[in-house]
Amino acid sequence: MAFIDILKAKAKANKKTIVLPETEDRRTYEATAKILAEDIANVILVGSEEAVKKGSEGLDISGAVIVDPATSEKTQGYIDKLVELRSKKGMTPEQAKEILLNQYLYYGVMMVKMGDADGMVSGACHSTADTLRPCLQILKTKPGTKLVSAFFLMVVPDCEFGANGAFVFADSGLCQDPNPEELAAIAASSAESFELLVGEEAKVAMLSHSTMGSAKHALVDKVVEATKIAKEQYPDLKLDGELQLDAAIVPSVGKSKAPNSTVAGQANVLVFPNLDAGNIGYKLVQRLAKAEAYGPVTQGIAKPVNDLSRGCSADDIVGVVAITAVQCQAADK
């Protein structure tokens, strides 16, 4: 069974309700038809009946719930709650109404906030900033989490490394230049996400162009410090660094370059020193190794809301919805 099929099976076992607000995009409807056909999740589409009917022409989305902000009986409650949440920022009822009737991403996040949906997936035609802004304003961070970060779940075909080719790459979508404390927090969140989605023990490599002091530079020092902080704050986490990529995932190289490490050569969670490295890394693996890349999946938000690459396919949306549903299941516990 393909890895994404395992996640879909998990999602089907305890179906959640996911809101898809980007009803201006055909891929949303194509994904919705597949999600419903495979019975992965319940789907809410935000938009007018007329617009949804036109956009989904030729597709069977009859199982989806369509919510029109202009006519929904719940819209006023969302307006009132948004004013309450943003009152210190000067939000007025008129402004809240304008936002919720015209910015469907905000409406979708309010549905999650109010418990009318379990999670949301967006980003096919919006930037990461546009997707995450309402989440951070309305849902805030998860208790005990130091920052919101993002990862890609990478599944590399015919790969003996990682967890049979499955990896988490972080941060590959959000935090541009994390400091050592933030890198440590990203490592902890990414390990938790890996274990939730893959079901195996996380082995975290703090990546660098240096392995165990082989190079001297301020960029290396940042990763060394992050590793020290992570080991102090998360002593039960199997984590090591600083490690070059080959030393992190190839057993023979890990044994040669870092013989005393319990992670070297076995890593399945790769924490990159900055967003440049993480973003370039995941796209190299996706394009050259023909890997499946699901994300950017966010971690650290109070309720599951996930971003999409604007170059995503309908199948990518289906995969991220399955991931979001599994995160929603975990949030219930």
Side-chain angles (χ1 to χ4, degrees):
M1 183 182 285
F3 183 77
I4 193 61
D5 292 328
I6 296 172
L7 284 176
K8 288 178 179 179
K10 287 183 181 180
K12 289 172 69 172
N14 180 12
K15 276 205 305 181
K16 296 300 178 182
T17 298
I18 308 300
V19 58
L20 302 178
E22 294 179 306
T23 49
E24 69 270 46
D25 195 294
R26 177 72 174 180
R27 291 169 293 176
T28 297
Y29 299 111
E30 293 170 349
T32 297
K34 293 183 179 187
I35 292 161
L36 296 172
E38 296 183 48
D39 202 29
I40 296 167
N42 303 314
V43 176
I44 297 174
L45 298 170
V46 182
S48 69
E49 293 270 359
E50 181 182 358
V52 171
K53 183 178 180 180
K54 181 178 179 181
S56 63
E57 189 174 356
L59 297 168
D60 181 5
I61 63 161
S62 55
V65 173
I66 301 167
V67 174
D68 184 349
T71 60
S72 174
E73 61 183 18
K74 294 193 174 183
T75 297
Q76 186 58 51
Y78 295 169
I79 292 170
D80 295 342
K81 187 65 175 179
L82 184 56
V83 171
E84 176 191 328
L85 291 169
R86 303 291 291 165
S87 60
K88 292 182 180 178
K89 298 293 183 180
M91 179 72 69
T92 66
E94 293 74 23
Q95 289 171 332
K97 182 177 181 179
E98 174 73 16
I99 289 169
L100 290 173
L101 291 184
N102 294 286
Q103 298 185 43
Y104 289 171
L105 270 66
Y106 271 87
Y107 199 92
V109 171
M110 284 305 303
M111 296 189 82
V112 176
K113 176 69 175 179
M114 301 294 277
D116 295 320
D118 298 303
M120 187 181 89
V121 172
S122 178
C125 49
H126 289 86
S127 69
T128 295
D130 286 340
T131 295
L132 293 183
R133 188 178 301 111
C135 301
L136 297 175
Q137 290 177 354
I138 295 166
L139 298 175
K140 312 295 185 181
T141 56
K142 185 168 70 172
T145 300
K146 296 181 180 178
L147 82 163
V148 174
S149 57
F151 66 89
F152 273 81
L153 178 62
M154 306 295 296
V155 184
V156 186
D158 303 316
C159 178
E160 70 271 31
F161 305 130
N164 296 314
F167 295 88
V168 157
F169 284 22
D171 186 313
S172 302
L174 185 58
C175 299
Q176 290 188 313
D177 189 17
N179 62 35
E181 292 79 9
E182 290 169 335
L183 266 184
I186 290 167
S189 293
S190 301
E192 181 180 346
S193 294
F194 178 87
E195 291 181 354
L196 170 65
L197 297 173
V198 180
E200 295 190 19
E201 182 185 26
K203 299 174 183 177
V204 185
M206 309 296 282
L207 296 182
S208 173
H209 68 272
S210 170
T211 295
M212 302 301 182
S214 66
K216 304 295 182 185
H217 193 276
L219 294 176
V220 178
D221 294 341
K222 180 175 88 165
V223 179
V224 171
E225 180 64 17
T227 303
K228 179 183 176 184
I229 293 169
K231 287 184 174 182
E232 290 174 352
Q233 294 186 350
Y234 314 103
D236 296 332
L237 188 59
K238 189 169 280 188
L239 173 148
D240 212 351
E242 84 284 12
L243 293 168
Q244 292 164 296
L245 188 279
D246 55 353
I249 67 170
V250 182
S252 60
V253 179
K255 187 175 181 179
S256 171
K257 290 187 173 182
N260 298 319
S261 173
T262 59
V263 169
Q266 306 173 53
N268 47 35
V269 176
L270 305 180
V271 178
F272 293 82
N274 58 38
L275 186 56
D276 282 338
N279 192 270
I280 292 166
Y282 103 76
K283 288 185 176 178
L284 275 172
V285 175
Q286 180 187 29
R287 300 299 179 180
L288 300 186
K290 296 180 169 53
E292 299 168 35
Y294 298 101
V297 181
T298 54
Q299 51 192 5
I301 298 175
K303 293 189 177 183
V305 174
N306 282 318
D307 191 18
L308 295 160
S309 168
R310 277 173 284 179
C312 69
S313 66
D315 284 335
D316 293 333
I317 298 174
V318 175
V320 174
V321 166
I323 290 170
T324 306
V326 173
Q327 289 180 312
C328 292
Q329 292 170 357
D332 289 342
K333 297 176 180 177

